């Protein structure tokens, strides 16, 4: 199916904006995507017509609101191909989802001396939660390195695994390099030794079809705001057998069955992991976003963004002095780069004045920057509403900035 890009663009009101009197060219999609009208409408409509706290309310609005929230859970279940809707936990985002696993899995399944394997290209949100666990348990982090192109050295994995390995926690797609990691292979290797795998899907769920049952992944986390949904809502998928086994992450309302000062019993899945009033407006708006992308088709989105990546790589490599950081043959739609000796911040500032939004810095992946011996990069990341014409604007903007610095 060919994508009707003009129709898609018209669904995103913000793309009409002018920045410094120039048309907005938004290439900061790996940080957060813009929202289609249907997502904004869902939020407004819910607050105007259907707002009431969910679960246990006897009145009409509460029941309607509860139904919308639980239907949203089913939409997420279908979107990632989970077996049961009780395996879908709503969180604030990928970060909270990983913190949940690090805490609940960590305190219940890890003993002193155990090891967790991560990769050298993790976002800080898949490093720091494990270091927080180290304050409670004497665990060790082992790291799968990547090579000079940013490809994970998967042959190292089997050497890192031993009897003390309790979990492998890997990013599906690197937000700093664009590398797509072979998670199918990692999961197979891990499972052959009975080790569960957590996949950080923050940069994959928005860009490629995901089926957690086909992958046989144990935990999969993603953020709503990167997949055209609202901020403040995300998802942790966990296999039922693991979610049953591990204790709650936070305590409060909703997650209990009975409470007394002597003893509390916990609610069933998924509520055991959803303490307090959930973001039921966010969940329904996330469902609207997932329905929106599903209608376009995740494979169509993946194909289109790959075409953008190919085009942009070709264009940008023609620029004198431009160096791409992250040249894995398997890449998602983002390009990290440097131009000569120009500081990323300076390049980003000039591009901004041309209406082009890119991200500069370490992208919350300082170990990646360290490996390349750089402070940061400029990152252009693509979404379904971007066009080749916008990539041309980016390329000529970079040329213009480079010329200014050469003078
Ligand atoms: N992991 C990766 C790979 C990411 O790119 C990000 C966001 N930049 C996160 C985790 C954290 O996501 P969030 O801030 O939405 O929790």
């Amino acid at each position: 199916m060919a994508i009707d890009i003009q129709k898609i663009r018209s669904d995103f009101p913000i793309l009409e904006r002018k920045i410094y009197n120039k048309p907005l060219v938004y290439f900061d999609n790996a940080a957060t995507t813009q929202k289609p009208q249907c997502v904004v409408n869902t939020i407004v409509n819910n607050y105007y017509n259907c707002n009431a706290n969910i679960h246990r309310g006897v009145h009409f609005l509460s029941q309607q609101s509860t139904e919308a929230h639980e239907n949203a859970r089913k939409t997420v279940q279908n979107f990632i191909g989970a077996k049961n809707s009780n395996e879908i936990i709503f969180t604030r985002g990928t970060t909270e989802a990983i913190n949940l696993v690090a805490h609940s899995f960590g305190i219940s399944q890890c003993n002193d001396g155990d090891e967790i394997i991560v990769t050298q290209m993790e976002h800080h949100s898949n490093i720091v939660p494990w270091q927080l666990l180290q304050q409670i348990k004497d665990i060790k982090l082992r790291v799968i390195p990547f090579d000079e192109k940013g490809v994970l050295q998967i042959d190292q994995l089997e050497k890192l695994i031993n009897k003390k390995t309790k979990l492998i926690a890997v990013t599906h797609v690197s937000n700093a390099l664009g590398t797509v990691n072979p998670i199918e292979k990692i999961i197979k290797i891990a499972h052959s030794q009975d080790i569960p795998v957590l996949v950080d899907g923050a940069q994959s769920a928005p860009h490629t079809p995901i089926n957690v049952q086909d992958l046989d992944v144990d935990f999969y986390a993603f953020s709503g705001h990167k997949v055209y949904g609202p901020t403040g809502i995300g998802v942790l998928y966990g296999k039922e057998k693991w979610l049953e086994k591990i204790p709650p992450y936070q305590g409060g309302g909703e997650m209990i069955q009975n409470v007394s000062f002597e003893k509390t019993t916990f609610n069933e899945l998924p509520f055991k992991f959803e303490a307090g009033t959930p973001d039921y407006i966010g969940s329904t708006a996330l469902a609207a976003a997932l329905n929106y992308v599903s209608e376009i088709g995740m494979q169509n989105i993946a194909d289109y963004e790959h075409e953008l990546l190919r085009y942009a790589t070709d264009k940008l490599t023609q620029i004198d002095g431009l160096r791409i950081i992250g040249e894995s043959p398997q890449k998602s739609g983002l390009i990290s780069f440097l131009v000569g000796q120009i500081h990323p911040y300076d390049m980003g500032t000039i591009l901004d004045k041309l209406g082009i939004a890119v991200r500069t810095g370490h992208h919350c992946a300082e170990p990646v920057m360290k490996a390349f011996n750089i402070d940061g990069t400029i990152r252009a990341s693509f979404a379904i509403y971007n066009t080749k014409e916008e990539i041309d604007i980016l390329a000529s903007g970079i040329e213009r900035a480079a010329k200014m610095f050469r003078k």
Side-chain angles (χ1 to χ4, degrees):
M1 184 193 92
I3 278 182
D4 184 351
I5 196 70
Q6 285 318 320
K7 158 78 181 67
I8 289 171
R9 286 183 69 82
S10 72
D11 292 333
F12 291 81
I14 204 169
L15 298 178
E16 301 277 306
R17 267 203 74 171
K18 297 269 190 299
I19 305 289
Y20 307 115
N21 232 4
K22 310 242 169 16
L24 166 67
V25 174
Y26 187 78
F27 281 144
D28 195 16
N29 295 290
T32 199
T33 50
Q34 299 302 343
K35 317 305 169 198
Q37 188 84 56
C38 63
V39 168
V40 181
N41 287 350
T42 302
I43 297 169
V44 172
N45 184 49
N46 279 352
Y47 276 123
Y48 278 174
N49 295 308
C50 179
N51 177 50
N53 208 334
I54 60 169
H55 298 143
R56 293 187 310 273
V58 290
H59 63 84
F60 184 88
L61 276 187
S62 175
Q63 290 187 12
Q64 200 175 34
S65 186
T66 303
E67 202 177 307
H69 181 68
E70 292 308 324
N71 281 341
R73 201 186 302 279
K74 291 197 184 100
T75 302
V76 175
Q77 175 199 352
N78 292 333
F79 184 71
I80 60 169
K83 195 165 163 196
N84 292 312
S85 62
N86 68 0
E87 296 175 313
I88 306 299
I89 313 294
F90 285 117
T91 64
R92 281 197 302 118
T94 307
T95 303
E96 191 179 53
I98 298 174
N99 274 275
L100 188 162
V101 178
H103 178 85
S104 297
F105 180 94
I107 60 166
S108 63
Q109 308 297 312
C110 295
N111 296 310
D112 288 350
D114 283 343
E115 299 180 358
I116 306 283
I117 298 178
V118 296
T119 79
Q120 197 180 9
M121 64 178 85
E122 295 311 315
H123 187 277
H124 296 164
S125 61
N126 197 22
I127 300 173
V128 185
W130 304 108
Q131 292 171 334
L132 292 179
L133 176 62
Q134 284 176 323
Q135 295 176 6
I136 306 170
K137 300 265 176 168
D138 185 20
I139 56 148
K140 204 174 188 179
L141 271 188
R142 310 290 303 268
V143 183
I144 316 171
F146 57 75
D147 67 15
E148 68 292 343
K149 287 197 179 307
V151 176
L152 210 56
Q153 292 179 279
I154 203 76
D155 54 320
Q156 297 294 311
L157 175 60
E158 267 159 340
K159 291 183 201 147
L160 290 173
I161 291 177
N162 62 47
K163 284 200 169 55
K164 294 183 168 170
T165 311
K166 274 290 147 71
L167 181 84
I168 301 178
V170 295
T171 192
H172 193 172
V173 174
S174 159
N175 68 311
L177 301 168
T179 307
V180 179
N181 287 320
I183 53 163
E184 300 83 352
K185 206 167 167 185
I186 294 172
I187 292 165
K188 278 212 175 80
I189 295 171
H191 285 179
S192 72
Q193 317 235 20
D194 283 333
I195 300 163
V197 177
L198 172 140
V199 168
D200 170 349
Q203 299 295 346
S204 61
H207 304 292
T208 190
I210 295 293
N211 187 301
V212 290
Q213 284 189 84
D214 288 351
L215 286 168
D216 200 22
V217 65
D218 299 274
F219 298 101
Y220 181 88
F222 71 96
S223 298
H225 70 97
K226 292 186 201 281
V227 60
Y228 310 99
T231 52
I233 185 101
V235 170
L236 172 69
Y237 159 81
K239 277 185 187 165
E240 191 173 336
K241 72 163 184 184
W242 283 116
L243 294 178
E244 288 291 3
K245 212 180 264 188
I246 65 179
Y249 173 47
Q250 294 176 331
E254 292 284 334
M255 51 77 71
I256 52 85
Q257 236 155 23
N258 295 104
V259 176
S260 73
F261 285 111
E262 289 71 39
K263 186 176 160 59
T264 290
T265 50
F266 301 128
N267 205 340
E268 60 192 13
L269 290 178
F271 312 113
K272 169 175 132 181
F273 290 105
E274 293 181 358
T277 299
D279 185 0
Y280 53 85
I281 304 282
S283 62
T284 47
L286 171 61
L290 299 183
N291 286 333
Y292 178 81
V293 288
S294 299
E295 205 154 294
I296 298 169
M298 288 311 295
Q299 192 55 54
N300 292 327
I301 291 177
D303 294 345
Y304 179 70
E305 289 177 358
H306 265 112
E307 202 179 308
L308 290 181
L309 174 69
R310 264 196 303 274
Y311 185 80
T313 306
D314 194 42
K315 273 263 156 183
L316 265 53
T317 42
Q318 289 171 35
I319 297 172
D320 207 21
L322 188 143
R323 171 182 165 218
I324 291 179
I325 311 293
E327 298 173 292
S328 167
Q330 262 70 50
K331 258 185 93 165
S332 187
L334 73 84
I335 302 184
S336 252
F337 61 94
L338 289 168
V339 186
Q341 297 304 313
I342 305 170
H343 195 281
Y345 182 81
D346 292 335
M347 177 60 81
T349 307
I350 293 172
L351 292 176
D352 173 55
K353 293 289 179 289
L354 301 171
I356 306 165
V358 291
R359 187 141 295 240
T360 62
H362 56 56
H363 316 297
C364 297
E366 285 191 31
V368 172
M369 302 303 135
K370 195 168 169 211
F372 283 96
N373 202 18
I374 53 179
D375 291 333
T377 70
I378 306 135
R379 182 185 71 188
S381 52
F382 311 126
I384 186 61
Y385 39 67
N386 289 129
T387 63
K388 289 182 181 169
E389 290 73 34
E390 289 181 312
I391 291 168
D392 292 342
I393 295 171
L394 171 68
S396 57
I398 298 169
E399 299 254 28
R400 200 165 144 187
K403 221 178 265 169
M404 282 169 60
F405 279 96
R406 259 184 239 123
K407 270 186 194 158

